[in-house]
Amino acid sequence: MTAFGEWRARAAAWWQERLLPWYAARGQRERRLLLIAGITLPIIALTFGVFLPLHDRVQSLRHALPKITRQAAQAERLARQIQSGKGRPVARASLLSTVERLSQRAGVRAFLTHIRPDPGARGQLVSLAFKQAPFDALMAFVHAAAKAGIEVRELRMQAAAPGLVHAQLRLAYPSASR
């Protein structure tokens, strides 16, 4: 006999020896109440414990989907714009100071956790890391950098929460060594 078969036999014996005599000893009104409770309690538990939380999650994902779709389209549009090379600087300031100024204007400076110039590029290549930055503000920063003639050499993003991302960027002026 399998483990399930043994468990089933023990459950049937418990049902016959303990539960049925206890149930039969109750009055008709109490038995009806126990029967109704035995039917409705599992339904209530499934409704409030499984179905409603799943429904809420589906609704929140449906609500977030249009925003995420817009953000993906914006990221693609900005990537095409950056690749096309639009926006070159008239006079070059230090890349580090330009990146600092642009990050403050775009509202992502507070989310900047790491900024490091590449020592081999004489300050013309900078690595940045953002943590839980608003996607829209980060894309505004990338767009502003492209308009200022700064190339995005590398951009990696990971979703942190709806509308927030972790990102790593490498920015450079076009003449900086690759």
Side-chain angles (χ1 to χ4, degrees):
M1 185 177 267
T2 66
F4 178 74
E6 290 176 20
W7 178 84
R8 187 173 174 209
R10 276 188 273 146
W14 179 78
W15 180 269
Q16 290 291 328
E17 294 170 7
R18 298 225 173 139
L19 197 58
L20 280 180
W22 177 84
Y23 183 76
R26 308 287 138 223
Q28 181 181 0
R29 190 171 171 185
E30 195 175 352
R31 282 195 305 254
R32 188 175 325 133
L33 181 65
L34 287 170
L35 184 62
I36 292 170
I39 292 171
T40 57
L41 286 177
I43 292 171
I44 291 170
L46 279 173
T47 300
F48 288 101
V50 177
F51 298 129
L52 288 179
L54 282 175
H55 179 265
D56 291 345
R57 180 68 176 147
V58 167
Q59 290 301 324
S60 70
L61 291 174
R62 279 190 183 148
H63 178 71
L65 184 61
K67 182 177 182 179
I68 293 169
T69 304
R70 281 192 312 273
Q71 290 174 343
Q74 181 183 10
E76 288 176 14
R77 189 174 56 253
L78 287 172
R80 281 192 304 274
Q81 185 177 1
I82 290 168
Q83 288 175 347
S84 71
K86 289 185 179 177
R88 295 283 183 239
V90 175
R92 284 193 184 163
S94 159
L95 180 61
L96 201 54
S97 64
T98 304
V99 166
E100 178 77 24
R101 181 177 38 84
L102 293 173
S103 67
Q104 285 177 344
R105 283 187 189 164
V108 293
R109 178 62 181 101
F111 305 100
L112 188 59
T113 60
H114 170 82
I115 184 166
R116 188 189 70 186
D118 188 339
R122 288 176 272 148
Q124 300 304 304
L125 183 65
V126 176
S127 297
L128 307 167
F130 294 91
K131 194 161 197 137
Q132 294 190 344
F135 178 82
D136 295 336
L138 187 62
M139 288 298 101
F141 167 71
V142 170
H143 181 68
K147 277 187 153 186
I150 298 172
E151 289 182 348
V152 177
R153 298 276 174 92
E154 184 179 336
L155 172 60
R156 289 181 295 177
M157 284 195 273
Q158 177 184 9
L164 300 177
V165 294
H166 301 306
Q168 293 84 35
L169 289 92
R170 289 188 68 206
L171 304 176
Y173 280 130
S175 64
S177 62
R178 289 182 184 256

